[in-house]
């Protein structure tokens, strides 16, 4: 019989004790201690744009202010402080709720915002999306955890994860009792993904009795910063179809692209473009967030995932589990709506929104070149150019050449 109190450290769930999350690990804790001692600390362990001085875009914050304090719209002088399109947009989102941002929404998120996400996906990819297969979440991380929770049954279930990786995946897989199956990116090929490496990793895992059920890829890469081509994505899709593996597309950095040679293209667009039977065969989950790009609204905790080619009852099962938490936060949902449905040409706020978002994007692109050039100027250091990623955290992978 266990000794001590029920939740003493030695009596906790073993998966909790084994879980390591490097982003908030020993270095972060030590830095926090130094900060308490009065030291000035610049945290680069996570992408947190506003904490490092990036200004929030004006229009989304105007709308959020009105949604949080709708009584402001009762003031006859509200038009002196807020543009008419911000007032109209706030009323638009409040009309979707059952009682403002303080009321629960549907467990999948507000239907109106899910429709806006579906419209965004249609405009981006050229193929329609069903809002019933879209789940709004408290950031993309919550969505990843929801999907992995449904995918992993026990320690014999494995998920392919790229190395170098973002520790969200290793930590969540460990917490849920699954097995991480690593596949290695090739630095000499700009951190490219090799199908032969994927086959090697799957074969090795199966030899150990692991059932490989999922594959995570991050595009643009995190922390590696590479952008996958349409050809890369097509090969990846074919591999997952052949091996009967669910593909998890982490596409949260799709607005963070710093070159023109390899623009972002979604896995869903490539899949749909392949046509039947491939376009109907792959189980694909795609993730996005308001935390990245020029919006950078990490603290708002808005995200979504879209399920493609899943059995309707599987979608229902995830809906059931989402219902345990009752509702994703409504403010984050509205911020997601503002991201996917921004001001359009002709709107009062469009010129300012366009100027602010372009300025942030150009600044990030400039810094990508400055950082890469700076590292490569160091003796015995080689750094691939970051084609896309979040420059508010230190996400450059360096090779030190030993002489």
């Amino acid at each position: 019989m266990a000794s001590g109190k029920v939740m003493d450290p030695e009596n906790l769930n073993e998966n909790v004790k084994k879980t390591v999350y490097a982003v908030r690990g020993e270095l972060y804790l030590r830095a926090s201690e130094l900060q308490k001692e009065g030291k000035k600390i610049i945290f680069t362990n996570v992408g947190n744009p506003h904490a490092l001085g990036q200004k929030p875009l004006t229009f989304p914050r105007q709308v959020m202010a009105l949604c949080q304090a709708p009584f402001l719209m009762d003031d006859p002088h509200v038009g002196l402080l807020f543009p008419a399109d911000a007032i109209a947009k706030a009323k638009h989102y409040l009309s979707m709720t059952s009682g403002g941002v303080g009321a629960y929404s549907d467990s999948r998120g507000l239907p109106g915002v899910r429709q806006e996400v579906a419209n965004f996906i249609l405009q981006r990819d050229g193929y329609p999306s069903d809002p019933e297969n879209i789940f709004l979440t408290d950031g993309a991380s919550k969505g990843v955890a929801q999907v992995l929770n449904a995918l992993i049954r026990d320690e014999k279930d494995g998920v392919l994860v790229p190395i170098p990786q973002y520790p969200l995946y290793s930590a969540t897989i460990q917490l849920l009792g699954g097995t991480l199956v690593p596949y290695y990116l090739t630095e000499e090929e700009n951190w490219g993904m090799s199908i032969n490496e994927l086959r090697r990793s799957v074969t090795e895992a199966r030899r150990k009795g692991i059932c490989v059920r999922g594959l995570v890829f991050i595009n643009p890469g995190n922390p590696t910063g590479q952008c996958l081509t349409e050809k890369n994505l097509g090969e990846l899709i074919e591999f997952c179809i052949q091996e009967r593996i669910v593909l998890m597309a982490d596409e949260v950095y799709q607005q963070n692209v710093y070159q023109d040679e390899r623009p972002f293209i979604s896995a869903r667009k490539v899949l749909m473009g392949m046509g039947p039977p491939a376009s109907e065969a792959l189980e694909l989950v795609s993730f996005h967030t308001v935390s990245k790009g020029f919006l950078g609204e990490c603290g708002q905790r808005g995200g979504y995932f879209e399920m493609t080619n899943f059995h309707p009852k599987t979608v229902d099962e995830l809906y059931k589990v989402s219902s345990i938490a009752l509702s994703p936060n409504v403010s984050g949902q509205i911020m997601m709506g503002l991201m996917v449905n921004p001001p359009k040409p002709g709107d009062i706020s469009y010129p300012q929104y366009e100027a602010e978002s372009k300025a942030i994007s150009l600044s990030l692109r400039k810094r990508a070149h400055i950082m890469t050039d700076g590292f490569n100027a160091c003796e015995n250091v080689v750094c691939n150019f970051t084609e896309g990623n979040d420059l508010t955290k230190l996400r450059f992978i360096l090779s030190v050449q030993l002489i």
Side-chain angles (χ1 to χ4, degrees):
M1 184 175 178
S3 60
K5 295 180 180 178
V6 175
M7 288 194 70
D8 277 355
E10 64 271 16
N11 298 328
L12 294 177
N13 182 320
E14 283 299 315
N15 290 331
V16 172
K17 292 192 284 183
K18 291 177 182 177
T19 297
V20 176
Y21 188 53
V23 168
R24 303 283 188 185
E26 292 182 17
L27 283 175
Y28 172 81
L29 295 175
R30 178 57 181 149
S32 298
E33 290 173 4
L34 292 171
Q35 189 179 52
K36 290 176 184 177
E37 294 172 7
K39 304 285 196 307
K40 182 180 179 181
I41 304 293
I42 298 175
F43 289 89
T44 60
N45 59 314
V46 292
N48 199 5
H50 293 182
L52 295 178
Q54 180 175 308
K55 300 298 183 186
L57 299 184
T58 302
F59 181 78
R61 286 300 185 92
Q62 288 174 327
V63 176
M64 291 302 301
L66 292 168
C67 287
Q68 291 286 350
F71 54 82
L72 292 174
M73 290 183 283
D74 296 331
D75 190 306
H77 303 297
V78 66
L80 298 177
L81 289 175
F82 297 92
D85 54 351
I87 296 169
K89 186 72 84 169
K91 290 179 178 178
H92 164 72
Y93 285 120
L94 289 173
S95 71
M96 295 181 183
T97 71
S98 58
V101 296
Y104 289 131
S105 75
D106 181 86
S107 299
R108 263 184 297 207
L110 296 165
V113 175
R114 285 191 280 124
Q115 183 61 61
E116 290 185 336
V117 172
N119 295 342
F120 161 79
I121 294 169
L122 170 61
Q123 184 177 19
R124 184 194 66 190
D125 296 342
Y127 299 95
S129 170
D130 184 352
E132 294 302 300
N133 293 328
I134 293 170
F135 287 68
L136 302 180
T137 55
D138 292 336
S141 300
K142 280 284 188 178
V144 167
Q146 282 180 243
V147 174
L148 287 174
N149 185 44
L151 184 68
I152 295 170
R153 300 166 298 184
D154 55 38
E155 72 279 359
K156 291 295 184 181
D157 282 344
V159 180
L160 286 154
V161 175
I163 305 296
Q165 59 117 7
Y166 179 53
L168 162 69
Y169 295 98
S170 54
T172 306
I173 291 166
Q174 175 65 62
L175 184 62
L176 295 172
T179 298
L180 183 144
V181 180
Y183 67 91
Y184 295 89
L185 305 177
T186 308
E187 181 179 6
E188 294 75 20
E189 297 176 9
N190 200 29
W191 298 108
M193 181 185 297
S194 164
I195 298 300
N196 287 335
E197 167 61 12
L198 288 173
R199 288 199 180 96
R200 180 207 61 77
S201 188
V202 169
T203 300
E204 184 176 317
R206 288 173 177 166
R207 192 179 296 126
K208 296 176 181 177
I210 302 298
C211 176
V212 180
R213 286 167 56 82
L215 186 154
V216 173
F217 80 95
I218 308 173
N219 183 37
N222 181 9
T224 48
Q226 83 283 13
C227 293
L228 297 180
T229 65
E230 184 173 353
K231 182 175 181 291
N232 297 148
L233 291 166
E235 292 172 345
L236 185 58
I237 288 167
E238 289 173 354
F239 173 80
C240 288
I241 292 173
Q242 291 167 5
E243 301 295 338
R244 299 187 74 249
I245 292 173
V246 175
L247 185 58
M248 298 176 62
D250 182 333
E251 298 174 333
V252 302
Y253 291 104
Q254 59 189 261
Q255 289 182 324
N256 294 82
V257 177
Y258 311 127
Q259 40 70 45
D260 300 319
E261 291 73 28
R262 292 201 205 185
F264 169 79
I265 181 170
S266 74
R268 188 178 183 279
K269 181 175 182 176
V270 175
L271 175 64
M272 294 295 107
M274 294 169 75
S279 61
E280 299 171 353
L282 176 71
E283 293 172 296
L284 169 68
V285 191
S286 306
F287 302 90
H288 201 5
T289 181
V290 303
S291 299
K292 311 305 175 187
F294 50 74
L295 205 58
E297 292 280 5
C298 304
Q300 303 285 355
R301 308 311 299 139
Y304 78 76
F305 66 86
E306 180 196 25
M307 304 178 71
T308 302
N309 292 330
F310 283 84
H311 194 290
K313 289 187 177 179
T314 300
V315 178
D316 290 343
E317 291 293 340
L318 265 76
Y319 187 22
K320 176 185 69 179
V321 174
S322 297
S323 301
I324 295 172
L326 295 177
S327 163
N329 87 85
V330 175
S331 295
Q333 295 180 54
I334 292 173
M335 187 59 75
M336 174 57 70
L338 290 164
M339 183 184 82
V340 298
N341 186 21
K344 305 292 192 297
D347 292 347
I348 298 168
S349 297
Y350 177 77
Q352 183 179 16
Y353 183 90
E354 186 74 356
E356 290 175 348
S357 57
K358 278 189 174 180
I360 293 170
S361 297
L362 288 172
S363 174
L364 290 171
R365 180 178 284 227
K366 181 181 178 181
R367 279 181 274 170
H369 287 275
I370 291 172
M371 292 286 285
T372 306
D373 293 344
F375 281 127
N376 284 326
C378 298
E379 186 177 359
N380 300 331
V381 173
V382 176
C383 176
N384 287 332
F385 177 66
T386 297
E387 297 175 343
N389 201 300
D390 187 345
L391 298 180
T392 60
K393 55 180 172 280
L394 194 58
R395 287 291 168 82
F396 286 81
I397 306 297
L398 309 179
S399 292
V400 179
Q401 298 178 340
L402 300 178
I403 298 176

